[in-house]
Amino acid sequence: YRLMQLQSEGDRQLEKIATQMKIDVELVGVESGLTVQRIQDETKLETEKLREQSVADSNVEVAKAKAEVDVIYADGHLESAKNIAKAEKVAFEAEGISAPLNRKQNDHITFIHKLRAQQALAENDKVSTIKSNLCFEIDSLDK
């Protein structure tokens, strides 16, 4: 009977050890699953932080680039306005110099046309009464 008792005790101990081993194995499996999930969550969180930081950094760089473009555009626009003002000033000064000369030239051309018209009339024999008036006008122009 003692032997059966010892054998029964041994079987219970073996079953207890097997049960504890099974519990320990499952516990290790659960803990490793939790550890894997924690690592995945931390990795996902870190990845998201890096993505958000890179988006923020790229937005800053885009804003800087736009600001630089705006400055370059403004500088170009200012330079263009300066050049237009210089060109208008030069054109105004040139017109100021050339205006009296143009008037003088136009007056001379008009005078030449008048002389030719008067000469044509003077050479026309059909207009005898006008000839004497024109000669008087030509004489007064010479004076």
Side-chain angles (χ1 to χ4, degrees):
Y1 174 81
R2 178 99 174 114
L3 184 59
M4 283 170 94
Q5 203 179 16
L6 287 173
Q7 188 176 13
S8 180
E9 185 67 30
D11 287 343
R12 259 186 295 134
Q13 288 295 330
L14 283 175
E15 195 165 315
K16 187 178 175 183
I17 290 170
T19 303
Q20 187 62 42
M21 186 177 73
K22 192 175 184 181
I23 290 171
D24 289 345
V25 167
E26 286 181 19
L27 186 59
V28 167
V30 168
E31 285 178 356
S32 67
L34 289 173
T35 302
V36 167
Q37 185 62 44
R38 182 182 51 80
I39 291 170
Q40 286 176 343
D41 290 345
E42 288 174 357
T43 303
K44 187 176 180 181
L45 181 64
E46 187 65 26
T47 302
E48 188 63 26
K49 279 175 32 180
L50 288 173
R51 189 188 68 76
E52 288 178 8
Q53 185 62 43
S54 67
V55 167
D57 291 345
S58 67
N59 286 341
V60 167
E61 291 302 317
V62 166
K64 284 181 185 178
K66 284 182 179 178
E68 288 177 18
V69 166
D70 289 345
V71 167
I72 291 170
Y73 178 77
D75 287 346
H77 191 68
L78 176 64
E79 194 62 33
S80 173
K82 285 180 182 178
N83 289 340
I84 289 171
K86 284 179 186 177
E88 288 176 352
K89 180 181 178 187
V90 168
F92 178 75
E93 289 172 353
E95 287 174 1
I97 292 170
S98 66
L101 299 174
N102 287 339
R103 274 194 302 278
K104 198 172 197 179
Q105 180 183 13
N106 288 341
D107 290 345
H108 178 71
I109 290 170
T110 303
F111 180 73
I112 295 296
H113 286 298
K114 282 182 182 179
L115 285 179
R116 287 185 182 153
Q118 289 174 354
Q119 183 179 0
L121 288 172
E123 291 173 355
N124 189 345
D125 292 335
K126 295 179 182 176
V127 189
S128 60
T129 55
I130 296 175
K131 264 189 191 177
S132 61
N133 289 339
L134 283 178
C135 290
F136 175 74
E137 286 181 27
I138 291 173
D139 289 339
S140 67
L141 286 176
D142 290 335
K143 294 179 183 178

